[in-house]
Amino acid sequence: MTAVAVPDVRAPRRTQGGTTVTRGVLDVLAAWGVQRIYCCPGSTEAAMLDSLVTRSDLELVLVTHESVAVAMAEGDARATGRPAVAYLHTNVGMANGLAHLSSAQLSSAPVLVLNGLKASTLAGRGAFTTLAHPRDMVRQHVKWAHTCAAADLVVDDVDRALHAAIAEPAGPVWLGLPQDLLETEAPVPSPPARRAAGSGLTRPAPDAVAAAAVLLAGAQRPVLVAGGEIARRRATAEVLTLAERLGAPVFTDGRRDFQASTVPTDHPLAAGLYDPAHPAVRDADVVAFLGSRVFTEFEAGGTDELPAAARLVHLHPDAAEVGRLHPVDAPLVGDPVLALADLLAALPADVGRRRPAAVSAGESASRPAAERFPGHVGLGPVVAALADAVAAADATVVLDATTATVPLLRGLRTTRPAQLLSSVSGSLGWGMGAALGVAMAEPAHRVVCLLGDGSFQFGLPALWTAAADKVPVTFVVLNNRTYSAVASALSRFGGAAAEQDRWPGTDITGLDIAAAARAFGVPAERVDRVADLPRALAQALAGPGPAVVEVLTGPASPPTQPPSAQSPSTPTAADPAAAPEGGGQAW
Amino acid sequence: MTAVAVPDVRAPRRTQGGTTVTRGVLDVLAAWGVQRIYCCPGSTEAAMLDSLVTRSDLELVLVTHESVAVAMAEGDARATGRPAVAYLHTNVGMANGLAHLSSAQLSSAPVLVLNGLKASTLAGRGAFTTLAHPRDMVRQHVKWAHTCAAADLVVDDVDRALHAAIAEPAGPVWLGLPQDLLETEAPVPSPPARRAAGSGLTRPAPDAVAAAAVLLAGAQRPVLVAGGEIARRRATAEVLTLAERLGAPVFTDGRRDFQASTVPTDHPLAAGLYDPAHPAVRDADVVAFLGSRVFTEFEAGGTDELPAAARLVHLHPDAAEVGRLHPVDAPLVGDPVLALADLLAALPADVGRRRPAAVSAGESASRPAAERFPGHVGLGPVVAALADAVAAADATVVLDATTATVPLLRGLRTTRPAQLLSSVSGSLGWGMGAALGVAMAEPAHRVVCLLGDGSFQFGLPALWTAAADKVPVTFVVLNNRTYSAVASALSRFGGAAAEQDRWPGTDITGLDIAAAARAFGVPAERVDRVADLPRALAQALAGPGPAVVEVLTGPASPPTQPPSAQSPSTPTAADPAAAPEGGGQAW
């Protein structure tokens, strides 16, 4: 190689950009409906970037930290149901994207991670930004992982990776792309026409459907739990029909498993977050977990999360999830829409005639949030104001608020499936990128991202992309200047910290969040009176681009007061789902 | 378990905090001379945090992103030569710290990563923030990795981990600490007294020393390269004695391998960065790489980095590094101080009498930097001002500046070994945390962190700790609003981007860096005239705490002008080490 010649811009060469291989990759992505590539590039991405110069069907969305790319791709995939692409640079970029990838895995989001690697011939030479086995670092976070081995196989590998991502159970996949293969002009196949006319989805076996139908039809006090897969597979109508025929209350997943809103909170049968202490659950004779992960445990040997006497129905697209931790009486493996249709058809005709139309719901109905959190001065009215603003704008909500999660899940009102999206990965900062991805992929709804000040620091670089692309996300930061989850854990531990009223590792006072947002070019307002919040939210939601509303809330666990002394409802191991503000075991 | 009782603060229980296990861990750390624990905690860290409440010999340094903890620990370890500890929370925290861990690995820094994990009984249950095999994610980044298996083994495991970290070749190690083991009261051993009276270091075999001595004594035009291990093992005096006896120019490692300054830049034999095109290297008959990694390759099949006719001496503490990529005539495995002493003793007595005292040095001597970069309006005078400020303050410099690295390495003047520290990991943002760790561990010198605006966005949360702990680091951000490395790569690729003068993925305009710093509580100034820079730097270096100086430099690769057209010295594959501003293949 010699020095690059200075191109003569007066006589353009009219190149298509990139190489046959990179153009082929983009052709495949476009054929699959991918519209954006979320990317923090490095030098290994030159050929791919070059081929994007001449295309209008694919947009490069530049991010300034790889964690943002991965979260955006997940948000995009969850909003559209289609695969989305994060493009990361070498081993260090991949490492930076890894934590949020665990969220995509848990939410079954078909995220394709393309990982630009140094040339394959360098892999064994300890070269700059290489690992001997990059796949080994990633493999636990994806369902499929492969490093391309030859230039003429790259395009087909990308196609296969996308197929793997969307095949049920869907999930993230990883494809390593050595630089030398991308920079080669190689014969590549045409964008493959995967010729399947059907969906590739499955129904449960007839005997399984019949068993579940018998169980539910015979139940005296059935309870339904509509989990995240109901939102992902858009099976809410089927769940509500089943609930109405059975006269059964419908819970959403509990706080630990909550991935997405599933049933309208104002539905007469909507019962709020799954809670083993709720009377309907406690007294249930049959509980049907529909599209739920049962459960995402927080601690060992903890609580009995299932009513002892109840028999269980468990529906999930992933056979490995059904009965994973708890024995199930009626397992249903398959697509929720198809399985629920089968189940409804299998119910005896008289089910739904002899029952009352409605059973008392839980606490999540239309009662204003403020009334439900009388003990939490500060956060209660904040939640109420947020709920009103979200409802007024019919906004989509992305939640990344650690210890404020439970009050928010209880207080927000939703009418659309997946109107509220969360993560169960515990990877802080996820929400900021995810919200941007949702907003880009589904511009019909405004997006509100609710997060804590700890999460905000993790997600900060997302503001660069928010500003650069003018993405209309309203970030609402509940700033209590505290790692409340740590303070709560210290309180539960009950040792010297609680005794001496000293809380190491909890005080994160110092960042002026609104000022930080403005430094990125994002309009921001700090609100320290609840009365000002509705106006601030309305203003942010009406603006043309991103905005940050920083809400100063009372420290959930002030260093001067042990959290356990603060509230009668400090979480207990026996009832983690009931943890209120400051009591969350969020992280 | 039941609810935690509200502690009665009127009647303190005078607990020691934590458990026997966590107290034992802290005892071991203290016995090894560890003074600080860099930590971003979560709920799994409650027992450990609790035991820190009652201790004054160990400081918890709170960080708001795990990447900062890992980089700080590396900076600490490199400044002191002692092990340093980063404490990370579960799988997601570990993932966030992974990229910078690759830097500790490459710099042979004895960093102990303690990774708080969920209870061991949860490992197979897909619980919150768990991986089935956390070790597998990390193992390629460390020299030793283990998950504790029993409470009464934890303390000994920590001791063994520290031993593994400092054993030569030193490097990072990982220890997984399941929460249940830490929260148990178990019998633990006393802090073990490792009874070794000697250092555990090694000398090369006598025949190897003799062979190297014969080669060097007989050389007509020998060249020495003093690599990062010379700084780490503090062997500069021995290198200079050898150089003076041989009358040989001494290079530092080249840009790709540069980890630390080794020889004073004003020494008559100091020849600057190793460069195969330098006349002294080109004409050398013997090149001795002393403590160098030979080489950290940037691209495949690239350049001939060794003079074809020269015979090679290679000294390194790690046997696996010696001759790893290139055949070596005289391998020397062992500690640099001991090996160089042996080598000096083995040289014939007349070596050093018959030679001239000094050979022409390279370009890195005291000539002002401004004169050496006439073509780079903007960066040249900036480098000159930085060099003067660093020299005046005798500051330690931490470098994380991607494409500005080569001008900075050439322009800065250093008098102390390890006065200038860098990373070869390619993990952006590393420098901000590393600089804080250096400053905390070695407060005798002021620390200047030089970085690019891209790196700044990756390292941003480090400012929280800088402000909270009032760490007197001066962060100088060379802000060209560009991913120059990507622009350069596109230019080298020479496709549609260069042809159409469009540079996707390169423009990161938007962040007001000084304003972002102030949002974190760090005083900051934006400088857009070089004339203002000396005063701004002096002011920042005189202040009591951290400061940010944002320097607006000309975009290295403006979107309106292809980088290749900008400068006659655009990098070429044949001479990557010579890459000037904007020409770095930095990432």
Side-chain angles (χ1 to χ4, degrees):
Chain A
M1 276 177 67
T2 57
V4 174
V6 177
D8 184 350
V9 292
R10 292 166 303 180
R13 278 180 285 145
R14 302 181 190 284
T15 65
Q16 296 180 271
T19 62
T20 50
V21 175
T22 57
R23 291 195 298 273
V25 169
L26 298 182
D27 287 343
V28 170
L29 296 180
W32 278 79
V34 173
Q35 296 176 340
R36 287 164 297 278
I37 298 175
Y38 304 102
C39 180
C40 186
S43 57
T44 51
E45 282 62 70
M48 190 63 75
L49 292 173
D50 197 72
S51 51
L52 281 163
V53 168
T54 54
R55 299 187 73 118
S56 57
D57 56 344
L58 280 159
E59 179 190 359
L60 178 82
V61 179
L62 183 62
V63 303
T64 55
H65 193 285
E66 291 84 358
S67 60
V68 181
V70 172
M72 286 187 79
E74 182 188 343
D76 182 320
R78 290 178 69 178
T80 63
R82 292 196 304 272
V85 177
Y87 205 129
L88 312 186
H89 173 65
T90 70
N91 63 315
V92 286
M94 187 61 239
N96 284 333
L98 209 52
H100 289 347
L101 197 54
S102 61
S103 173
Q105 186 179 37
L106 288 161
S107 73
S108 297
V111 169
L112 167 60
V113 177
L114 297 175
N115 190 187
L117 303 175
K118 287 285 185 181
S120 47
T121 51
L122 287 175
R125 297 174 66 88
F128 186 66
T129 60
T130 63
L131 287 178
H133 308 287
R135 178 180 178 276
D136 287 356
M137 179 176 73
V138 183
R139 61 197 295 190
Q140 288 182 89
H141 294 78
V142 294
K143 58 182 286 200
W144 185 89
H146 175 65
T147 304
C148 291
D152 58 351
L153 301 177
V154 170
V155 170
D156 196 49
D157 282 344
V158 171
D159 183 61
R160 193 175 306 106
L162 287 161
H163 175 259
I166 64 151
E168 291 292 329
V173 298
W174 176 87
L175 189 64
L177 298 173
Q179 185 177 0
D180 51 335
L181 308 189
L182 298 190
E183 294 188 354
T184 302
E185 296 283 345
V188 299
S190 304
R194 291 197 171 266
R195 293 187 300 272
S199 65
L201 299 173
T202 61
R203 301 163 62 180
D207 63 323
V209 174
V214 166
L215 212 52
L216 285 167
Q220 297 303 307
R221 298 172 305 282
V223 157
L224 306 185
V225 182
E229 289 287 312
I230 297 302
R232 184 174 75 87
R233 301 299 310 148
R234 305 295 190 261
T236 293
E238 288 77 5
V239 168
L240 292 178
T241 302
L242 180 63
E244 286 157 9
R245 284 196 66 186
L246 297 172
V250 189
F251 291 83
T252 67
D253 274 330
R255 179 256 188 284
R256 286 283 155 223
D257 299 285
F258 194 97
Q259 296 268 5
S261 57
T262 47
V263 294
T265 48
D266 62 354
H267 190 280
L269 291 170
L273 297 176
Y274 177 78
D275 177 356
H278 189 289
V281 175
R282 209 177 46 216
D283 300 338
D285 56 351
V286 175
V287 181
F289 289 98
L290 309 173
S292 296
R293 198 160 185 271
V294 184
F295 296 100
T296 305
E297 297 171 308
F298 184 80
E299 60 189 359
T303 58
D304 193 352
E305 296 188 274
L306 291 169
R311 305 189 73 185
L312 298 190
V313 177
H314 191 181
L315 162 64
H316 202 282
D318 184 353
E321 282 294 329
V322 175
R324 179 173 58 89
L325 294 180
H326 299 284
V328 168
D329 299 281
L332 294 169
V333 176
D335 179 68
V337 172
L338 300 177
L340 287 167
D342 286 350
L343 188 59
L344 285 164
L347 286 179
D350 60 347
V351 172
R353 299 208 187 115
R354 58 185 179 186
R355 289 180 180 279
V359 172
S360 155
E363 54 176 312
S364 68
S366 53
R367 190 152 51 99
E371 292 177 22
R372 270 174 280 142
F373 305 101
H376 296 90
V377 179
L379 196 53
V382 168
V383 172
L386 287 168
D388 291 344
V390 165
D394 191 21
T396 298
V397 177
V398 176
L399 201 58
D400 185 10
T402 59
T403 50
T405 298
V406 169
L408 288 166
L409 286 177
R410 288 191 175 148
L412 296 171
R413 304 188 295 276
T414 60
T415 55
R416 292 179 281 117
Q419 183 178 354
L420 199 165
L421 295 168
S422 185
S423 161
V424 300
S425 72
S427 184
L428 298 189
W430 165 87
M432 294 178 72
L436 294 178
V438 170
M440 279 198 162
E442 197 181 48
H445 292 282
R446 291 297 289 230
V447 176
V448 174
C449 177
L450 303 178
L451 66 160
D453 53 314
S455 293
F456 180 78
Q457 285 206 42
F458 278 78
L460 206 38
L463 293 182
W464 184 86
T465 298
D469 285 300
K470 299 182 179 57
V471 191
V473 171
T474 297
F475 301 93
V476 181
V477 186
L478 305 174
N479 184 2
N480 64 7
R481 287 85 69 202
T482 309
Y483 281 151
S484 311
V486 177
S488 295
L490 277 167
S491 176
R492 290 195 302 278
F493 184 76
E499 186 181 302
Q500 302 187 18
D501 193 16
R502 294 170 59 190
W503 306 95
T506 63
D507 182 359
I508 54 168
T509 307
L511 175 61
D512 182 330
I513 284 170
R518 286 190 288 265
F520 278 93
V522 175
E525 179 174 355
R526 173 178 276 195
V527 173
D528 56 9
R529 298 189 326 149
V530 173
D532 296 333
L533 189 53
R535 179 204 45 76
L537 292 171
Q539 193 172 313
L541 280 160
V548 166
V549 178
E550 176 187 11
V551 186
L552 293 181
T553 61
S557 313
T560 54
Q561 188 181 20
S564 61
Q566 185 189 7
S567 156
S569 45
T570 292
T572 69
D575 187 11
E581 176 194 15
Q585 305 150 313
W587 210 48
Chain B
M1 276 177 68
T2 57
V4 174
V6 177
D8 184 350
V9 291
R10 293 164 305 179
R13 277 180 287 146
R14 302 182 189 283
T15 65
Q16 296 179 272
T19 62
T20 51
V21 175
T22 57
R23 291 195 299 274
V25 169
L26 297 183
D27 287 342
V28 170
L29 296 179
W32 278 80
V34 173
Q35 296 176 339
R36 287 163 298 277
I37 298 175
Y38 304 102
C39 180
C40 186
S43 57
T44 51
E45 282 62 71
M48 189 64 75
L49 292 173
D50 198 71
S51 51
L52 280 164
V53 168
T54 55
R55 299 187 73 117
S56 56
D57 56 343
L58 281 159
E59 180 190 358
L60 178 82
V61 179
L62 183 61
V63 303
T64 56
H65 193 285
E66 291 83 0
S67 60
V68 182
V70 171
M72 286 188 81
E74 182 188 343
D76 183 320
R78 290 178 69 178
T80 63
R82 292 196 304 272
V85 177
Y87 206 127
L88 311 186
H89 174 64
T90 71
N91 64 315
V92 286
M94 186 61 239
N96 284 333
L98 209 51
H100 290 347
L101 197 54
S102 62
S103 173
Q105 187 178 38
L106 288 161
S107 73
S108 298
V111 169
L112 166 60
V113 177
L114 296 175
N115 190 188
L117 303 175
K118 287 287 186 182
S120 46
T121 51
L122 287 174
R125 298 173 66 87
F128 186 65
T129 60
T130 63
L131 286 178
H133 309 286
R135 177 179 178 277
D136 287 355
M137 178 175 72
V138 183
R139 61 196 298 189
Q140 288 181 89
H141 293 78
V142 293
K143 58 181 286 200
W144 185 88
H146 174 65
T147 304
C148 290
D152 58 353
L153 301 177
V154 170
V155 170
D156 197 50
D157 281 345
V158 171
D159 183 60
R160 192 174 307 106
L162 287 161
H163 175 260
I166 64 152
E168 292 291 329
V173 298
W174 177 88
L175 188 65
L177 298 173
Q179 185 177 0
D180 51 336
L181 307 190
L182 298 191
E183 295 188 354
T184 301
E185 297 284 344
V188 299
S190 305
R194 291 198 172 264
R195 292 187 300 272
S199 65
L201 299 174
T202 61
R203 301 163 61 181
D207 64 322
V209 174
V214 167
L215 213 52
L216 285 167
Q220 297 303 307
R221 297 172 305 281
V223 158
L224 306 185
V225 182
E229 288 287 312
I230 298 302
R232 183 174 77 85
R233 301 299 312 149
R234 305 296 191 259
T236 292
E238 288 77 5
V239 169
L240 292 178
T241 302
L242 180 64
E244 286 158 8
R245 285 196 68 186
L246 297 173
V250 189
F251 292 82
T252 67
D253 275 328
R255 180 256 188 282
R256 286 282 155 223
D257 298 287
F258 193 96
Q259 296 267 5
S261 57
T262 48
V263 295
T265 49
D266 62 354
H267 190 281
L269 292 169
L273 297 176
Y274 177 77
D275 177 356
H278 189 289
V281 176
R282 210 179 43 216
D283 300 338
D285 55 351
V286 175
V287 180
F289 289 98
L290 308 173
S292 296
R293 196 159 188 271
V294 184
F295 296 101
T296 305
E297 298 172 306
F298 184 80
E299 59 188 0
T303 58
D304 193 352
E305 296 189 273
L306 290 170
R311 304 188 73 185
L312 298 189
V313 178
H314 190 182
L315 163 63
H316 201 282
D318 185 353
E321 281 295 328
V322 174
R324 179 173 56 90
L325 293 181
H326 299 284
V328 168
D329 299 281
L332 293 170
V333 176
D335 179 68
V337 171
L338 299 176
L340 287 167
D342 286 351
L343 188 59
L344 285 164
L347 285 180
D350 61 345
V351 171
R353 299 207 187 116
R354 61 185 177 186
R355 288 178 182 280
V359 171
S360 155
E363 55 176 311
S364 68
S366 54
R367 190 153 50 99
E371 293 177 20
R372 270 174 281 142
F373 304 101
H376 295 91
V377 179
L379 196 53
V382 168
V383 172
L386 288 168
D388 291 343
V390 165
D394 190 21
T396 299
V397 177
V398 176
L399 201 57
D400 185 10
T402 59
T403 50
T405 297
V406 169
L408 288 166
L409 286 177
R410 289 190 173 150
L412 295 171
R413 304 189 294 278
T414 59
T415 55
R416 292 179 282 118
Q419 184 178 354
L420 199 165
L421 295 169
S422 186
S423 161
V424 299
S425 72
S427 183
L428 297 190
W430 165 88
M432 293 179 73
L436 294 178
V438 170
M440 280 199 161
E442 198 181 47
H445 291 283
R446 292 295 292 229
V447 176
V448 174
C449 177
L450 304 178
L451 64 162
D453 54 313
S455 293
F456 180 79
Q457 285 206 42
F458 278 77
L460 205 40
L463 292 183
W464 185 86
T465 298
D469 285 299
K470 300 183 178 54
V471 191
V473 170
T474 298
F475 301 94
V476 181
V477 186
L478 306 174
N479 184 2
N480 64 7
R481 286 85 71 203
T482 308
Y483 281 150
S484 309
V486 177
S488 295
L490 277 166
S491 176
R492 290 196 301 278
F493 184 77
E499 185 180 303
Q500 301 187 18
D501 193 16
R502 294 169 60 189
W503 306 96
T506 63
D507 182 0
I508 55 168
T509 306
L511 175 60
D512 182 330
I513 283 170
R518 284 189 289 265
F520 278 93
V522 175
E525 179 175 355
R526 173 178 276 196
V527 173
D528 56 8
R529 298 188 326 148
V530 173
D532 297 333
L533 188 54
R535 179 203 46 74
L537 292 171
Q539 192 173 314
L541 279 160
V548 166
V549 178
E550 176 186 12
V551 186
L552 294 181
T553 61
S557 313
T560 53
Q561 187 181 20
S564 60
Q566 186 188 7
S567 157
S569 45
T570 293
T572 68
D575 186 12
E581 176 194 15
Q585 306 150 312
W587 211 49

